[in-house]
Amino acid sequence: MVETGSCNLTGTVAYHHYKTPPEVCAWIFKQLDQLREQASLIIEQYTDNYSGLVRTIVGVDRYPLGIKLESMTNDRFAVTWGIGKWEQKKFVQTRKFNLQSNRFRIYYIDDYLVEAPIELKSLANETENKIERIRKLQHYLLKIIAHIVRYESTSSYGNDDITQSILKERGQGSENICMPLNQSDRQSCNEVNKWIINQRAILHKEAEYYVTYYWSNNRKSVALEYPSISLGLRIKINRSNSISIEWFEAQFVGKKVFEKKRFKKPRNINTYTILEKIIMSEPEWFSQLVRDTEEELVRIRKMICILSSIKETLLNYQNIDFS
């Protein structure tokens, strides 16, 4: 690892820079609570409508189809369909229909209701559409939490293990839970996006530091043996505003640096595996400089990649929530 203290990085980069703000944590867990409340309301509406159909439509009572809201475990809940016994408006489930491979919708309901009255089919299908939406929203929120846990854990400056429980406690510790009460969920999502943009800026600045560190040390003493290859290092901002930190074989013309050969890095891989082969026969001081620099850059690339995953998942959540 690069000795940051000797490079005047202390105070510029600190673990707290990577900590998700309490208001962002609070917003996420508040959304989960609201989804469970919505699911409870949908089940209540289904129960009332089902009871009404039993009283007015012949044959409905032959299909004791009901919904059950499972208790919250690790901020997760499940809404399950099944058959059982109805005692007025109370449903006791005796057989559960499991989710199929896509995890969001239960198609066994259609098979069970093949010969059921059309009114019951319509009610069950309309209700499952609403429940499917809630399952998807919950899935994306839990995915965002998992990404944030990975993001904070990836930082080499963290001293504590980050867990979902810690993020929840951090949100509960916020005096102003989420955003002001008059602020919409869309505006709250924008606040999360602002945090993502801010984190990218911090990581970009840190990457610039390590690039500067590399260039300032790769010719640090004329007494040292020169390497046989000139390795260049740069930061690029792509069209999508993503950040690339790239190694290349450099050619020097005066004080200017040009790309002689670009080294390819496999997509979704955060390290240049080719570097070890390149520096194998190079002077030890140079090989160590490249290894130390790349070690820090791998961490930064991982964190940038996770931020992109958070943004993509949040966008998927918004597309469902605001549709």
Side-chain angles (χ1 to χ4, degrees), residues 244-262:
S244 295
I245 312 167
E246 303 173 343
W247 291 93
F248 61 96
E249 186 176 349
Q251 181 177 6
F252 294 89
V253 180
K255 292 185 177 181
K256 293 185 177 180
V257 182
F258 295 92
E259 179 188 300
K260 183 178 180 181
K261 179 182 178 182
R262 181 179 301 178

Side-chain angles (χ1 to χ4, degrees), residues 139-141 143-144 147 192-193 196 200 267-268 304-320:
H139 168 76
Y140 286 125
L141 286 172
K143 198 172 180 180
I144 289 173
H147 286 322
V192 181
N193 279 315
I196 294 173
R200 278 182 174 170
R267 189 175 182 181
N268 298 326
I304 292 172
C305 182
I306 295 171
L307 280 178
S308 297
S309 297
I310 295 174
K311 184 174 180 62
E312 180 182 356
T313 307
L314 180 65
L315 182 61
N316 289 331
Y317 176 85
Q318 288 177 286
N319 287 339
I320 297 173

Side-chain angles (χ1 to χ4, degrees), residues 12-148:
T12 302
V13 176
Y15 170 63
H16 71 270
H17 287 160
Y18 306 119
K19 291 179 68 174
T20 313
E23 60 270 19
V24 172
C25 296
W27 176 80
I28 294 171
F29 289 98
K30 181 182 178 183
Q31 299 308 299
L32 288 171
D33 289 338
Q34 289 180 345
L35 285 179
R36 194 174 191 280
E37 291 174 5
Q38 292 175 26
S40 180
L41 180 60
I42 291 170
I43 291 175
E44 184 179 333
Q45 292 172 342
Y46 172 83
T47 300
D48 289 341
N49 291 330
Y50 179 87
S51 298
L53 290 180
V54 169
R55 292 193 303 268
T56 58
I57 306 295
V58 176
V60 171
D61 56 351
R62 299 201 325 243
Y63 300 90
L65 180 67
I67 320 175
K68 182 179 179 182
L69 179 59
E70 305 288 348
S71 59
M72 202 83 147
T73 305
N74 295 327
D75 299 295
R76 298 170 181 263
F77 64 88
V79 182
T80 59
W81 287 87
I83 56 177
K85 297 180 179 179
W86 282 94
E87 296 177 0
Q88 294 182 348
K89 290 188 177 182
K90 184 178 180 181
F91 176 71
V92 179
Q93 192 177 90
T94 57
R95 176 190 166 193
K96 181 173 70 174
F97 294 152
N98 293 320
L99 283 170
Q100 289 186 313
S101 58
N102 69 357
R103 295 179 297 177
F104 299 125
R105 191 171 185 87
I106 297 176
Y107 292 100
Y108 301 103
I109 302 172
D110 295 334
D111 296 336
Y112 179 69
L113 297 178
V114 169
E115 298 181 359
I118 188 66
E119 293 85 356
L120 179 56
K121 290 181 181 179
S122 177
L123 173 61
N125 186 63
E126 180 184 347
T127 303
E128 177 61 0
N129 286 341
K130 296 175 182 177
I131 296 298
E132 180 185 15
R133 177 178 179 274
I134 287 177
R135 291 193 192 104
K136 288 181 178 179
L137 290 172
Q138 180 185 223
H139 168 76
Y140 286 125
L141 286 172
L142 292 172
K143 198 172 180 180
I144 289 173
I145 293 172
H147 286 322
I148 291 176

Side-chain angles (χ1 to χ4, degrees), residues 224-228 279-289:
L224 295 174
E225 180 187 359
Y226 280 170
S228 61
I279 64 177
M280 187 179 298
S281 58
E282 298 298 335
E284 179 58 28
W285 72 267
F286 180 74
S287 298
Q288 195 59 48
L289 172 63

